[in-house]
Amino acid sequence: MQAANYYNMNICVNNAFAGDVVKNGGLNRSDKLHTDAGQKPDVILFYMGINDCGLTKKEPGTVSDYSALKKGNGYKTAANFAEAYAISIEKMRAAYPDAQIFCVTLLPQSHYGVARELVEAYSECIRTVAAHYGLPVIDFAKNSGITWENHLSYMKADKIHPKKEGMDLMAKTVIKA
């Protein structure tokens, strides 16, 4: 919201749901980012993956064949996070061809007790998929100032949701991007 206010933009849809993962709701909602009146987004911030990483504690996987993601009039069933993330991007691009999509890497988190290496693997997966589609990355993992060493200072007691100070750093990173 801070970035939207900074640029005098309106939020079309905040399609975030607590505890959601890309393979489920995120994938199913990626082409439902327009308003009930049909207003389509100009800018999409695609910030998902922390729940996929923390709840499954599985490696993000890879996309071995991007052309195989499309299956007839639909999409294949995603085998892993990487495929679900890529299919989500394909669905967003098809539904909103004029929108600028920004992929966003994950912040450090310790709520789920997940290893740092796994969170970093998800961020690297996001960078890889974004690069395949030629999409810019807002790299919270590298550029927000929230690091593994200081992240608890910026997180609420649940160790995953940022406090105001964390949100301020995230907004500044989005604005800069």
Side-chain angles (χ1 to χ4, degrees), residues 43 45 48 103 122 141 144 164 172:
V43 175
L45 298 180
M48 285 194 76
C103 297
Y122 272 72
S144 69
K164 181 188 180 317
K172 287 178 184 176

Side-chain angles (χ1 to χ4, degrees), residues 54-164:
L55 294 173
T56 68
K57 293 188 175 61
K58 292 180 181 176
E59 290 292 324
T62 61
V63 179
S64 58
D65 183 1
Y66 284 90
S67 65
L69 297 176
K70 187 87 168 137
K71 187 177 178 184
N73 291 331
Y75 297 89
K76 73 175 270 187
T77 301
N80 56 43
F81 170 78
E83 286 186 353
Y85 197 87
I87 292 168
S88 294
I89 290 172
E90 292 214 7
K91 288 176 78 174
M92 284 185 271
R93 291 175 77 179
Y96 313 108
D98 298 325
Q100 174 64 65
I101 301 169
F102 290 87
C103 297
V104 185
T105 62
L106 307 183
L107 286 170
Q109 63 88 17
S110 48
H111 171 71
Y112 295 116
V114 65
R116 174 181 179 164
E117 293 77 21
L118 189 60
V119 176
E120 290 173 350
Y122 272 72
S123 285
E124 189 56 36
C125 175
I126 290 166
R127 289 182 199 101
T128 300
V129 174
H132 171 80
Y133 290 104
L135 297 176
V137 173
I138 298 175
D139 208 328
F140 283 164
K142 292 183 178 179
N143 300 323
S144 69
I146 300 173
T147 66
W148 285 97
E149 293 72 32
N150 71 14
H151 77 281
L152 292 178
S153 301
Y154 294 102
M155 299 297 164
K156 294 179 181 178
D158 67 5
K159 300 179 185 175
I160 193 169
H161 293 97
K163 298 187 236 181
K164 181 188 180 317

